[in-house]
């Protein structure tokens, strides 16, 4: 039930925000925003992975 709520809520918010960006600013801005969020998420993943490797190595 909890995973259904979190997945459903995330999908809902993503669809609403993507639709608003596309309606207000166009498709290219929506795609640029998605690219920026993907890069930020990747950076967070790399930083925490390196931090965890550093913790396990010592």
């Amino acid at each position: 039930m909890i995973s259904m709520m979190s997945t459903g809520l995330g999908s809902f918010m993503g669809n609403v925000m993507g639709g608003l960006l596309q309606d207000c600013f166009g498709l290219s801005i929506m795609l640029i925003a998605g690219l920026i969020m993907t890069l930020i998420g990747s950076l967070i993943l790399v930083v925490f992975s390196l931090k965890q490797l550093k913790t396990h190595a010592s």
Side-chain angles (χ1 to χ4, degrees), residues 5 7-8 14 17 20 25 32 37-38 42 46 50 52 55 57-58:
M5 283 180 51
T7 303
M17 295 302 290
L20 287 173
F25 302 108
I32 290 171
M37 286 187 262
T38 301
S42 297
V46 167
L50 291 175
Q52 189 175 19
T55 304
S58 55

Side-chain angles (χ1 to χ4, degrees), residues 42-58:
S42 297
L43 182 64
I44 290 170
L45 179 71
V46 167
V47 166
F48 281 108
S49 294
L50 291 175
K51 186 177 181 180
Q52 189 175 19
L53 283 174
K54 195 178 205 181
T55 304
H56 287 307
S58 55

Side-chain angles (χ1 to χ4, degrees), residues 2-53:
I2 291 173
S3 64
M4 182 72 161
M5 283 180 51
S6 64
T7 303
L9 183 62
S11 295
F12 170 74
M13 292 300 294
N15 285 329
V16 169
M17 295 302 290
L20 287 173
L21 277 172
Q22 189 175 359
D23 285 344
C24 295
F25 302 108
L27 186 62
S28 61
I29 297 298
M30 185 188 74
L31 292 173
I32 290 171
L35 176 67
I36 290 170
M37 286 187 262
T38 301
L39 291 173
I40 290 170
S42 297
L43 182 64
I44 290 170
L45 179 71
V46 167
V47 166
F48 281 108
S49 294
L50 291 175
K51 186 177 181 180
Q52 189 175 19
L53 283 174

